[in-house]
Amino acid sequence: MAVTDDTDTETTTPPRFAVPARPRFETPVVPRNSIAGRALIAVVAIMTFLASLTTGAVILVGQAAGEWQADVAREVTIQVVPAPGRDTDATVTKAAAIARAFPGVGDVRVFSKEESSKLLEPWLGSGLSLGDLPVPRLIVVRLASGETVDMARLNRLLIDQAPGATLDDHRGWIERMRAMAGSVVAGGIVILVLMLAATVLSVTFATRGAMATNRNVIEVLHLVGAKNNFIAGNFQRHFLVMGLQGGLIGGGAAVLLFALAALIGHFTAGTAGGDQSAALFGSFSLGFLGYLAVLAQIVLSAVVTALTSRHTVNRTLEAID
């Protein structure tokens, strides 16, 4: 009888080794480093720089105009012009005494002949001998806070009791200052609108150029079912980053320029030119609100760049549909 071997033969399967997954390289829909992209960053940086300069200039003019109006509203000037046969010093002393005794006057300061001549240095230069010129002597009259002064009566007293002294009421310049400041602000707003329009046009052309360069990729994505929002979102993120880069470059350059101007103004304080510049334009210091406005310009540039790109892509894709 044949004996059969019932031993089961086990078949071993060689172990399967996991094949390592190949790395996936995601290619962006919009190339990050392209000549057109770098050019757009430069355009956004220039526009943001100019817009920040305009905003800063408007803020500085507004601050200076406010200081001018406050000073002009509280001060008047008495001028005594030298003339042959006139005792200028006696006339100055008499006019100052009349002003001090007048109701509503808080303080009177008499400028010496040297101080009056020094006021002409920003226009005539230093080192000139002005002794032979009839340089007017000035008396600055500061009005008391909250007091109403009868300027017409004060002028009559000066004419009667101090011949040669004339009252110059600067408060008539307040409306002109307000009109000038308003014109500067309006002009700044117009410039900002034009720069914003130029930025929108630049981004629109750049977006259309990027879409034309990657037209095959966009059409394939569009045909395989990619939604318009997906394609537009890629463009929006791409141009948002470029807008932030350009805005930071332009806004940062503007901040450095204003900081440098403020530093120069600090070092030139006390000189004739520095004092005149400070009187006309202030200290060139934007302050917290000014730098916050520049930061808002940077964010605005990035947002406008991103939204313009998205709008352009959506309109182009709708045309393809």
Side-chain angles (χ1 to χ4, degrees):
M1 180 174 64
V3 179
T4 60
D5 189 2
D6 295 335
T7 304
D8 296 333
T9 59
E10 298 180 357
T11 58
T12 58
T13 306
R16 295 181 179 178
F17 296 96
V19 179
R22 295 182 179 179
R24 297 177 61 187
F25 299 95
E26 295 184 359
T27 303
V29 177
V30 188
R32 290 187 176 90
N33 298 319
S34 63
I35 298 177
R38 290 192 292 269
L40 181 61
I41 292 176
V43 170
V44 174
I46 293 172
M47 292 300 176
T48 306
F49 176 73
L50 295 177
S52 300
L53 286 185
T54 303
T55 302
V58 169
I59 293 174
L60 290 177
V61 169
Q63 292 176 350
E67 294 175 0
W68 294 343
Q69 293 176 22
D71 292 338
V72 167
R74 294 194 306 265
E75 287 185 355
V76 295
T77 303
I78 299 174
Q79 297 187 30
V80 178
V81 180
R86 178 183 298 166
D87 189 349
T88 304
D89 292 334
T91 304
V92 170
T93 303
K94 181 63 176 177
I98 295 173
R100 288 190 181 98
F102 199 81
V105 173
D107 182 51
V108 176
R109 182 192 174 194
V110 179
F111 277 61
S112 64
K113 186 175 181 180
E114 291 74 17
E115 290 175 328
S116 300
S117 300
K118 189 177 180 181
L119 295 176
L120 300 176
E121 287 185 2
W123 291 272
L124 301 180
S126 59
L128 295 178
S129 178
L130 303 178
D132 297 333
L133 297 178
V135 178
R137 295 285 301 279
L138 299 179
I139 304 171
V140 177
V141 179
R142 182 170 289 272
L143 308 180
S145 178
E147 295 288 338
T148 302
V149 180
D150 189 353
M151 294 297 173
R153 180 168 173 264
L154 177 59
N155 191 32
R156 288 195 300 269
L157 287 176
L158 291 173
I159 294 174
D160 295 338
Q161 302 180 22
T166 58
L167 181 65
D168 187 5
D169 186 0
H170 305 294
R171 293 182 298 176
W173 290 86
I174 291 180
E175 292 301 325
R176 297 184 182 181
M177 290 181 182
R178 289 176 180 172
M180 181 192 68
S183 300
V184 171
V185 172
I189 293 175
V190 172
I191 293 174
L192 289 177
V193 171
L194 292 176
M195 290 180 181
L196 184 63
T199 303
V200 170
L201 291 176
S202 300
V203 175
T204 300
F205 287 122
T207 303
R208 290 178 178 174
M211 292 189 70
T213 304
N214 300 274
R215 184 178 182 86
N216 295 333
V217 177
I218 294 173
E219 288 181 349
V220 170
L221 289 174
H222 192 64
L223 292 175
V224 298
K227 300 295 184 182
N228 291 354
N229 288 334
F230 170 78
I231 302 175
N234 280 273
F235 277 88
Q236 179 177 340
R237 287 189 295 270
H238 173 75
F239 282 95
L240 176 63
V241 172
M242 288 199 301
L244 282 175
Q245 291 176 349
L248 288 173
I249 294 172
V255 169
L256 290 177
L257 184 61
F258 281 115
L260 180 61
L263 186 63
I264 294 174
H266 176 73
F267 282 115
T268 57
T271 63
D275 291 341
Q276 289 297 325
S277 298
L280 291 174
F281 305 107
S283 60
F284 288 99
S285 177
L286 292 181
F288 175 74
L289 293 179
Y291 290 113
L292 186 63
V294 174
L295 179 61
Q297 294 280 358
I298 296 174
V299 176
L300 180 63
S301 298
V303 171
V304 168
T305 302
L307 294 181
T308 303
S309 173
R310 186 181 187 90
H311 177 70
T312 304
V313 172
N314 283 327
R315 290 189 59 184
T316 305
L317 293 177
E318 289 173 1
I320 295 176
D321 292 339

